[in-house]
């Protein structure tokens, strides 16, 4: 007997967990991070997770402290992330993930070290000692995904 997922309010509910979604997202390096600007407009930019893909609902992105991204987050921590995986075999649609989250700015070198990869030296030549470096942490509040015909939400924390 095959049972289809329950459809509720336009969303297929599934038994997928944050861990299941993290595995599916494992090869997605870039996210689009959306913040609200001082004038109230939305600003979106690509951010690399630098292969830090052990995703549990928290996302980390290195930046410089003097960017508009940082000032936007300090003014309004409500942000959105969107991820898109590669198309599947035989023309299957890619995985899409939308995250609503609360962002914060980290300026702690020990935390920098926890998320550092050597590929970052291209943008931060002095490693975790690069002057003016900051780390954006986005804690997921709501996670919605579309994977082929399956659509649903997962709890951001297990």
């Amino acid at each position: 007997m095959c049972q289809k997922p329950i459809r509720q309010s336009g969303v297929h509910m599934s038994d997928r967990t944050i861990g299941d979604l993290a595995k599916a997202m494992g090869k997605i390096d870039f996210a689009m991070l959306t913040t609200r600007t001082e004038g109230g407009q939305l600003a979106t930019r690509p951010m690399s997770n630098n292969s830090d893909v052990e995703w549990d609902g928290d996302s980390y992105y290195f930046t410089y402290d003097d960017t508009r991204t940082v000032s936007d987050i300090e003014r309004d921590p409500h942000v959105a992330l969107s991820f898109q995986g590669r198309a599947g075999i035989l023309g299957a649609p890619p995985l899409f993930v939308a995250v609503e989250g609360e962002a914060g700015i980290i300026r702690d070198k020990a935390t920098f070290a926890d998320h550092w990869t050597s590929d970052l030296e291209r943008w931060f030549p002095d490693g975790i000692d690069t002057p003016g470096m900051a780390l954006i942490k986005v804690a997921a509040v709501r996670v919605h995904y579309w994977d082929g015909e399956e659509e649903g939400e997962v709890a951001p924390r297990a």
Side-chain angles (χ1 to χ4, degrees), residues 27-76:
K27 293 186 174 153
I28 302 174
D29 183 29
F30 285 90
M32 296 298 286
L33 170 64
T34 302
T35 59
R36 190 163 301 277
T37 68
E38 186 175 5
Q41 296 84 11
L42 297 176
T44 303
R45 76 283 290 155
M47 302 293 287
S48 172
N49 65 24
N50 306 300
S51 302
D52 190 3
V53 294
E54 296 291 322
W55 200 65
D56 62 0
D58 291 340
S59 301
Y60 296 89
Y61 305 101
F62 283 94
T63 189
Y64 280 97
D65 209 24
D66 62 354
T67 63
R68 182 170 84 184
T69 306
V70 170
S71 61
D72 287 352
I73 289 169
E74 288 178 330
R75 188 175 35 267
D76 182 351

Side-chain angles (χ1 to χ4, degrees), residues 63-67 70 107 112 124 129-135:
T63 189
Y64 280 97
D65 209 24
D66 62 354
T67 63
V70 170
R107 296 176 176 91
F112 292 173
F124 307 99
D129 295 316
T130 300
M133 191 168 70
L135 183 64

